[in-house]
Amino acid sequence: METEGFFVDGPGIFRAELERTRRERQARELSEKVTGAQSLVNSLEHAGVDVMFGIPGGAILPAYDPIFDSKIRHILVRHEQGAGHAATGYAQATGRVGVCIATSGPGATNLVTPLADAQMDSVPIVAITGQVPGPAIGTDAFQEADIRGITMPITKHNYLITDPDQIPAAISEAFHIASTGRPGPVLVDIAKDALQKMTTFTWPKQRVLAGYRLQLDPEASAINDAARLIAESKKPVFYVGGGVIKANASKELFRLAELVGAPVVTTLMARGAFPDSHPLHLGMPGMHGTVAAVTALQKADLLITLGARFDDRVTGKLSTFAVNAKVIHADIDPAEIGKNRFADVALIGDLKRTMVALVPALEREFAKSRPDLASWWKQMGGLRSTYPLGYDHPAEGLSPQYVIERIGAISGPDSIYCAGVGQHQMWASQFIKYEKPRTWLNSGGLGTMGYAVPAAMGAKVGAPDTPVWAIDGDGCFQMTNQELVTCAINKIPIKVAVINNESLGMVRQWQTLFYASRYSNTDLHSKRIPDFVKLADAMGCVGLRCESRDDVDATINKAMEINDAPVVIDFSVHRDAMVWPMVAAGTSNDDIMIARELAPDWGSQEL
Amino acid sequence: MALHTLAVLVENSPGVLARVASLFSRRGYNIDSLAVGPTEDPKISRMTIVLNLEGHALDQVSAQLFKLINVIGIQEMKPSESYERELLLVKVGSNGAALDEVAKRYGAKVVEKSENSVVVELVAESDVISALLSDLKPFGVKELVQSGAIALEKGVKTLTDRVRDEQGLSNPEEGNIGESSTADYQN
Ligand SMILES: Cc1ncc(C[n+]2csc(CCOP(=O)(O)OP(=O)(O)O)c2C)c(N)n1
C-alpha cells in the first residue's frame, strides 16, 4: 500500500496540480489496465475499508463483480436504509469511516434518510451509488435519480463521476472529507459506464482540495481569553456536545474538567464523553434533561461550550436561554460560532488540541487567582440531590424505565447501546449509566425512527467482542427490523430490547399533554400484532418475552448468554409512562416541569 | 436589513452553482442578485452575490458558504473599497432628441434605434441604473434586462492574493502539504 506522497488542501493548488499530473502520468504508465469497477474496489481497499453494507442492482452491478473477489467484507442488507444506518453505527462505534453501497434510483434514494441522519449528527460515512450510464444521464432513464442533486443539502460533499480515471481521486477525497474537520457523509455517485470502461488504477499520492481548509489549532490569544473568562467566572458550566466524542477528546475533557472543577453537562450526542459516575457530572441538559443540568446552563455566568451547537432541544426558547452567561464556544466548524448564540470567545479548532492548549493557560490564570465555586456547587449539588431522575412503578404492568435501567446495570458500561427515537430513547439516555465514549449511539439531530437495529448491526460489526444492545420502541422497530435477517445470516448477534408500549409513545405523550389526551393515530396495537417473539423466530433470531418485573433480570441474563444469534426481547410495558423532566417545545428552560403540572420548587433554591 | 456584496471564488466544477443555490435556499438567505463568470484562472470561477441581510448575519453566511468544499475564497466587497457594476439593456418605446439627451446624461449607449423602439445600454452602479430607469419611464419602457452586480476590489490587491494571505501562505508554492496515509481517515 502506498503511504507516502503529499496532499494539498488550500491553494497550494498551482504547483500541486503540475506535480500531480507528472506523478500520475508516471505511475499510470507503470500500472496495468483495469475496469473502473476494479479501480473503485482497489480504491476502497487503499482507503482502508474493511467492511461495507449494501445491495446490488443494475447500475452498480459492475462493481459487485470485483467486490466478489475483494478482501473487503460486504454485508448484504435487506434495505438500503439499513446499509446507511449500519455504516453510521459502525462509524460511531469505531471512529472509522463507515461505508454503504447501493444502486441508482431507488437504491440511492433509500440512502437519503441515513445520509441526512449522518449529516445532522456529523458521522463520517461514505456512500457509493451506481448511476445510469453517462449518455443516459438527464434522459429520465430507467432507475435514474439525480442523487447528487438530491443529497447536496444533506451531505458534507458529493460527487458524480462519469470518467473512470477520476474514481481513485474521488474516493481518496471522499474519505478525507468525511473523516476530517467536522465529520460528515460524502456520497460518490458513479455512472455505470464509468465502472465498465477500462482505466488505469493509481492511488493518488496527493489530493488537491483548494477549498477545503481545516483550522486545527485555535488562536493562542483566544485560548488566553478563554482561560481568563474561566478564571473570572463564578458559575461556569461545561456544556459538552458530541464533538468531544468525534474528536476522541474524552481524556482531555476529564483533565480540563477536574482542573476547573466546574459542573459538566453532556448533551444527548455526548452521553459517555464524560463518566456519569463522576461527581462533576450533572447529567444531560435539554428538553428531557435533569433539573440540575438544565438549570446549571440556565443560571450559569459562563458556558464553556465544547463541540456543542446550541440546538433548540437544548436551549429551549433561545431568547431566554442562559441569559446571564458569557459563552466560550469551541468547535472545529467555524460556521457553528454565532449561528444560534453569540460567542464571546471563539475557539476554532480540533477539540483535543483546544483542551490541551487550555490547560497550561488555565494553570497560569489559576496561579494568580482561583474562583471559588463553592456557592455555585451548593446550588447545583442541591438541585442534583433534590431532583434526581426517577420513575414510578405502575400498579399494574411493567415500567419501561425499570427495564432499561436493568439492561444498563446488567450489561454494564462496556456495552454499546443504540436507541431508536421516542420515549425509550430518552429513557435509555437517562437511565443507562455511560462511562465511556462511543458506547451510546443514537439519532440525535434528525431523530430517525428505525435507526436502532441497523445501527446496532453496524456497531456490532465494528466491535464484534462487545455486547451491543438496540433499545428500540415498538414503533421504530417496525420500521427497520428486517435487518435482523441480515444479522442472523451474517452472524451479527445483536440484542434488541423492544420497549413495547403498543404506541407511538412519544407522540402519545405530546397528545396527552397538549392535545387533551386525544390519541389520534398513535395506537399501534403491537401487543396483539405483530407477535414480536414469532417475528424474531421467523427472522432467525431468538425471541423472548417479558411481562413482569420479576422476570426482567432473568430475561436480560438469558439474552446476555446468547452469543450465536441475535436476540429480540419483547418487553411488554405499560403505555402511560411519560418522560420527565420536560421543557415543552418552544418554551423557556425556566419552565422545566418534573412531572405533569409540577415545576421544581424554586422557592427552596437560592438561585 | 441592508445589501451586502460578496465575491466568492469557486472551483469551476459541475454542480457548484447548484450547491451555492441549495445552501441559500436551505438556510433561507435572501439573494438580491447573483452573477457568475470565469476568472483569469480557467479552473476558478467567480460569483458575485448581493444579499439582503442584517450585518451580523454576514459572517454566518460567509462561514456556511466557506463550508462548501468547492468554495475557495470569500470576500465582502465594501462599497467604499470596490467597484461595483451592473449591466442594463432596456427597450424604450419612443424615439427623439429628449431620449438621446437622457442617455447622454447617464453616459448610456444607444445600441439600436428604429422608428418605434430604442435599445439603451448602461454599465453603472446599481443606483445609477435605477435613476436612469426612472428617467426612461416617461418614454415607455417596453422591456428591460439587467445583470446581477459584479464587483472588483480597488487597488493592487486581488482576491486570490487575499485567499493566499488568509492561509498564511506567504509563498504560495508551499501549500498545506501533508503526508498521505491510510490511517489518515481510519483513525
Ligand atoms: C421516521 C420518523 N417518523 C416519525 C417520527 C415522529 N416520531 C417521533 S417519536 C415517535 C414515536 C416512536 O414510537 P416508538 O418507536 O414506539 O417509541 P416510544 O416513543 O413509544 O418509546 C414518532 C412517530 C420520527 N421521529 N421519525
Side-chain angles (χ1 to χ4, degrees):
Chain A
M1 197 168 299
E2 292 159 318
T3 51
E4 48 82 54
F6 67 95
F7 285 23
V8 179
D9 293 339
I13 181 166
F14 310 102
R15 183 192 64 155
E17 194 82 348
L18 282 174
E19 184 68 358
R20 173 166 76 173
T21 340
R22 192 180 61 78
R23 289 215 202 174
E24 281 188 353
R25 199 183 323 109
Q26 262 180 6
R28 197 169 303 147
E29 282 154 11
L30 297 175
S31 45
E32 49 179 328
K33 290 261 170 199
V34 294
T35 61
Q38 186 66 57
S39 175
L40 169 66
V41 173
N42 290 358
S43 299
L44 293 170
E45 288 174 353
H46 274 260
V49 177
D50 59 358
V51 62
M52 53 189 175
F53 302 88
I55 302 185
I60 194 67
L61 205 46
Y64 270 80
D65 199 57
I67 284 174
F68 208 34
D69 298 326
S70 169
K71 62 180 185 194
I72 299 174
R73 178 181 183 196
H74 179 280
I75 294 173
L76 176 62
V77 297
R78 294 301 180 266
H79 190 301
E80 290 85 354
Q81 185 185 354
H85 291 316
T88 290
Y90 173 91
Q92 284 177 314
T94 64
R96 295 160 57 87
V97 177
V99 181
C100 54
I101 177 162
T103 194
S104 67
T109 56
N110 274 347
L111 288 177
V112 166
T113 299
L115 286 169
D117 184 273
Q119 172 80 347
M120 289 290 263
D121 286 345
S122 308
V123 184
I125 65 172
V126 168
I128 310 289
T129 49
Q131 180 54 277
V132 300
I137 292 176
T139 66
D140 304 317
F142 177 63
Q143 293 196 326
E144 178 180 3
D146 173 18
I147 198 63
R148 184 185 54 159
I150 290 169
T151 60
M152 262 179 200
I154 53 163
T155 52
K156 185 171 173 186
H157 193 52
N158 59 15
Y159 293 84
L160 169 60
I161 301 298
T162 51
D163 173 357
D165 294 349
Q166 288 175 359
I167 290 172
I171 297 296
S172 162
E173 288 174 18
F175 278 78
H176 179 62
I177 291 170
S179 60
T180 52
R182 180 180 186 166
V186 179
L187 175 126
V188 184
D189 194 27
I190 311 176
K192 183 174 187 178
D193 57 333
L195 293 171
Q196 290 165 321
K197 281 183 197 155
M198 298 309 282
T199 179
T200 43
F201 169 75
T202 347
W203 187 237
K205 292 213 177 73
Q206 66 175 91
R207 216 184 286 117
V208 180
L209 286 166
Y212 189 61
R213 266 155 276 155
L214 301 173
Q215 186 177 336
L216 296 177
D217 290 302
E219 284 170 26
S221 63
I223 290 284
N224 291 333
D225 292 347
R228 202 166 318 118
L229 278 187
I230 294 171
E232 283 164 6
S233 160
K234 301 200 162 43
K235 300 174 171 185
V237 180
F238 284 99
Y239 163 24
V240 174
V244 170
I245 294 177
K246 304 285 180 321
N248 295 317
S250 287
K251 273 204 204 88
E252 290 71 16
L253 170 62
F254 196 94
R255 169 107 204 271
L256 186 65
E258 292 207 325
L259 175 63
V260 178
V264 175
V265 303
T266 51
T267 68
L268 183 65
M269 290 309 295
R271 307 286 294 117
F274 191 75
D276 274 350
S277 59
H278 198 287
L280 294 176
H281 203 167
L282 295 182
M284 178 174 77
M287 179 176 271
H288 294 296
T290 64
V291 172
V294 170
T295 311
L297 289 182
Q298 216 44 11
K299 302 295 174 193
D301 66 2
L302 178 66
L303 302 183
I304 309 164
T305 312
L306 303 168
R309 60 185 177 89
F310 297 90
D311 176 71
D312 56 273
R313 285 298 191 259
V314 166
T315 63
K317 191 174 175 200
L318 193 58
S319 60
T320 66
F321 174 69
V323 287
N324 297 318
K326 291 202 164 149
V327 171
I328 296 170
H329 196 170
D331 206 290
I332 193 139
D333 179 359
E336 283 305 332
I337 310 296
K339 184 183 77 179
N340 291 340
R341 171 73 183 242
F342 174 77
D344 297 272
V345 176
L347 299 172
I348 299 171
D350 170 62
L351 276 173
K352 198 185 248 188
R353 298 191 192 194
T354 302
M355 287 194 270
V356 166
L358 266 173
V359 167
L362 272 170
E363 280 166 347
R364 277 195 301 278
E365 288 293 332
F366 286 170
K368 288 182 242 160
S369 76
R370 240 202 118 88
D372 178 8
L373 304 182
S375 90
W376 178 229
W377 265 115
K378 192 164 159 257
Q379 293 170 14
M380 291 307 118
L383 282 179
R384 176 166 55 189
S385 52
T386 315
Y387 300 106
L389 289 168
Y391 58 88
D392 297 326
H393 287 283
E396 256 170 67
L398 189 54
S399 148
Q401 297 98 322
Y402 176 73
V403 169
I404 292 169
E405 189 175 57
R406 292 308 301 157
I407 292 173
I410 293 173
S411 199
D414 288 319
S415 302
I416 293 173
Y417 303 90
C418 305
V421 170
Q423 292 180 311
H424 64 281
Q425 172 192 27
M426 292 300 121
W427 290 322
S429 173
Q430 292 175 332
F431 294 107
I432 294 174
K433 296 296 157 224
Y434 300 96
E435 299 291 320
K436 298 174 180 180
R438 302 193 185 282
T439 57
W440 162 246
L441 277 46
N442 87 129
S443 169
L446 197 65
T448 312
M449 285 176 73
Y451 168 89
V453 169
M457 171 171 78
K460 183 74 183 170
V461 169
D465 300 328
T466 305
V468 177
W469 281 88
I471 311 283
D472 217 358
D474 49 312
C476 294
F477 182 70
Q478 291 184 72
M479 289 201 177
T480 49
N481 65 56
Q482 71 273 36
E483 296 317 332
L484 283 170
V485 174
T486 314
C487 289
I489 289 174
N490 292 282
K491 308 227 175 312
I492 306 166
I494 63 169
K495 304 179 199 309
V496 183
V498 180
I499 309 301
N500 184 355
N501 55 7
E502 57 191 328
S503 328
L504 297 169
M506 185 56 96
V507 182
R508 190 171 192 273
Q509 172 165 346
W510 286 40
Q511 289 173 331
T512 304
L513 296 173
F514 312 120
Y515 294 89
S517 296
R518 286 162 48 81
Y519 299 121
S520 169
N521 292 283
T522 46
D523 190 347
L524 290 171
H525 302 277
S526 25
K527 286 184 184 165
R528 225 163 28 87
I529 300 173
D531 182 326
F532 289 124
V533 173
K534 278 191 189 154
L535 183 62
D537 190 45
M539 291 192 288
C541 306
V542 177
L544 304 172
R545 181 168 282 125
C546 176
E547 289 167 329
S548 76
R549 190 169 161 184
D550 295 339
D551 292 339
V552 169
D553 280 21
T555 314
I556 297 168
N557 282 322
K558 192 160 179 198
M560 292 302 296
E561 281 159 20
I562 301 169
N563 286 311
D564 55 355
V567 185
V568 177
I569 312 175
D570 178 1
F571 285 103
S572 185
V573 300
H574 85 115
R575 68 181 346 183
D576 293 324
M578 288 209 254
V579 184
W580 298 108
M582 179 169 187
V583 179
T587 69
S588 167
N589 280 345
D590 293 330
D591 300 325
I592 186 170
M593 306 296 277
I594 47 173
R596 196 162 185 188
E597 281 156 23
L598 188 62
D601 179 9
W602 301 119
S604 66
Q605 301 289 330
E606 333 143 19
L607 287 166
Chain B
M1 304 268 262
L3 294 181
H4 298 267
T5 304
L6 292 179
V8 184
L9 291 184
V10 299
E11 281 181 80
N12 183 10
S13 66
V16 63
L17 180 60
R19 279 181 214 286
V20 171
S22 155
L23 170 68
F24 280 83
S25 116
R26 179 165 87 84
R27 302 243 175 223
Y29 304 145
N30 230 330
I31 298 192
D32 201 68
S33 78
L34 172 77
V36 200
T39 65
E40 68 285 355
D41 181 339
K43 290 194 296 297
I44 294 174
S45 302
R46 179 163 172 149
M47 295 184 180
T48 308
I49 306 173
V50 181
L51 288 154
N52 197 359
L53 40 71
E54 311 278 0
H56 66 83
L58 196 66
D59 287 343
Q60 176 60 204
V61 176
S62 300
Q64 292 292 355
L65 262 176
F66 202 57
K67 271 172 80 167
L68 297 178
I69 309 291
N70 301 128
V71 170
I72 299 170
I74 303 173
Q75 160 98 19
E76 186 185 2
M77 296 280 120
K78 300 219 175 83
S80 58
E81 294 161 17
S82 60
Y83 305 107
E84 190 164 318
R85 298 289 182 270
E86 288 170 25
L87 166 63
L88 169 78
L89 284 169
V90 57
K91 203 172 277 178
V92 185
S94 72
N95 205 334
L99 179 64
D100 287 344
E101 190 49 42
V102 171
K104 201 170 162 201
R105 191 150 27 94
Y106 284 89
K109 210 172 9 168
V110 174
V111 291
E112 181 194 288
K113 216 171 192 179
S114 66
E115 214 170 304
N116 295 322
S117 102
V118 176
V119 176
V120 178
E121 171 196 307
L122 177 64
V123 173
E125 289 168 17
S126 166
D127 48 347
V128 179
I129 294 206
S130 306
L132 170 67
L133 276 175
S134 70
D135 283 354
L136 287 179
K137 251 204 188 125
F139 299 95
V141 171
K142 292 209 290 194
E143 188 176 17
L144 75 85
V145 57
Q146 218 177 320
S147 74
I150 56 172
L152 189 73
E153 192 177 353
K154 292 179 179 171
V156 291
K157 273 263 172 187
T158 70
L159 185 44
T160 320
D161 288 342
R162 282 190 184 283
V163 169
R164 280 193 193 134
D165 289 353
E166 253 167 47
Q167 312 316 305
L169 304 174
S170 47
N171 172 9
E173 292 286 284
E174 271 165 24
N176 303 326
I177 296 169
E179 292 284 294
S180 116
S181 77
T182 305
D184 194 359
Y185 19 76
Q186 297 291 348
N187 47 9

